[in-house]
Amino acid sequence: MMNKYIEIEMLPTACGIGGSFSTEASFWLDNFKAPFHSIEVKIDTGCSISTIPLKRLNVSDTLCNTLKKFDILNKVPYFLSYGIESGGLKHKAPITDEEKMNCPAMKFEHKIMDFMIGGTKIQSDKICLNYDRKGNILIGMDILKDWDIHIGTSKMTGKHMFLACPMENRGSDYRRALEKHFGLR
C-alpha cells in the first residue's frame, strides 16, 4: 500500500542527546538491472544533494571501481562532496582521469526510478551515486525542498516525530496526521 505522507519517529543517539530520522526506501537505478528494496535511508536537511554510497548497499569494490571508471569515461555529470569527515577543508578538484578515480569526493548523477521513501512515491528522477564511501544514504534538500515538513514532539505519543508530505500529496490524511501529532490544522 502506498502512503501519501511519511511519518517517522526519531531514533535517539546512544548518549541520548539528539537523534536521527531513518526510514526505508525502494528504487531502481539506471546502471543496475535489479531493484533495491527495504534500504535504510536517513533524512538529512543539512545535505544539499541526496546521495547513495553504493558500498553501503554491499556493492563490491571491483564493481564500484568499474562503474566509476565508466562514469568518468562517459563524462557523467558529477559533484564534489567532501562531507563532514573532511572537516570542511578545501580540496583540489581532480582533473585527470587518474585523479578522478582516486577522488572519494565525487558523486555522479544518475536516474532513479520507482522511488519510494517510507512507502511514499517520490517524484525526483535523479540521485547521486558515490562509489568510494560506505556512509549513510542521505535524502537531502534537493528532494526535501518540494515537501511540507514538520518536526516536533507528538502530542499523541510524546515522541519526537518527522511528518513530511510531497507538496502534490497534501490532503486530508496528512492534515489529520498534523492535527493528531502537533495540533496543527
Side-chain angles (χ1 to χ4, degrees):
M1 184 172 110
M2 193 162 70
N3 300 324
K4 297 270 187 195
Y5 63 92
I6 296 169
E7 183 176 321
I8 307 170
E9 184 179 309
M10 187 174 81
L11 300 171
T13 59
C15 68
I17 299 172
S20 62
F21 295 105
S22 295
T23 190
E24 291 185 344
S26 299
F27 49 85
W28 285 80
L29 297 171
D30 65 356
N31 58 349
F32 279 83
K33 293 185 183 207
F36 292 92
H37 293 289
S38 301
I39 304 298
E40 182 181 348
V41 298
K42 284 193 176 213
I43 305 297
D44 187 350
T45 59
C47 172
S48 299
I49 302 171
S50 300
T51 304
I52 298 173
L54 281 181
K55 289 184 179 182
R56 182 69 172 209
L57 300 176
N58 296 319
V59 176
S60 72
D61 290 346
T62 302
L63 182 53
C64 283
N65 286 336
T66 300
L67 292 170
K68 185 174 183 179
K69 185 179 285 188
F70 183 85
D71 283 0
I72 291 168
L73 293 175
N74 287 287
K75 301 190 181 335
V76 172
Y78 67 88
F79 303 92
L80 295 177
S81 174
Y82 293 99
I84 194 163
E85 71 278 358
S86 69
L89 300 174
K90 295 279 184 191
H91 297 272
K92 186 177 139 197
I95 297 170
T96 67
D97 287 354
E98 183 180 351
E99 288 173 344
K100 290 175 182 176
M101 280 302 294
N102 292 320
C103 179
M106 295 182 78
K107 55 186 179 184
F108 297 85
E109 190 175 77
H110 280 270
K111 289 189 187 314
I112 189 167
M113 293 84 51
D114 298 329
F115 193 13
M116 305 270 289
I117 298 174
T120 302
K121 180 142 180 64
I122 305 302
Q123 294 301 317
S124 180
D125 62 350
K126 292 181 183 172
I127 198 148
C128 285
L129 304 180
N130 177 285
Y131 299 110
D132 298 292
R133 295 186 178 157
K134 296 179 182 178
N136 293 312
I137 298 171
L138 301 177
I139 304 303
M141 291 307 295
D142 57 324
I143 292 172
L144 299 174
K145 69 179 175 38
D146 297 322
W147 292 12
D148 184 75
I149 298 172
H150 293 271
I151 299 172
T153 304
S154 170
K155 295 182 183 315
M156 190 177 89
T157 66
K159 305 278 186 180
H160 299 290
M161 299 294 296
F162 174 92
L163 256 62
C165 182
M167 292 297 197
E168 66 272 7
N169 288 356
R170 289 183 301 175
S172 58
D173 290 344
Y174 182 60
R175 284 192 297 278
R176 277 193 292 278
L178 287 172
E179 186 171 351
K180 177 175 80 171
H181 285 290
F182 305 128
L184 300 174
R185 294 179 182 248

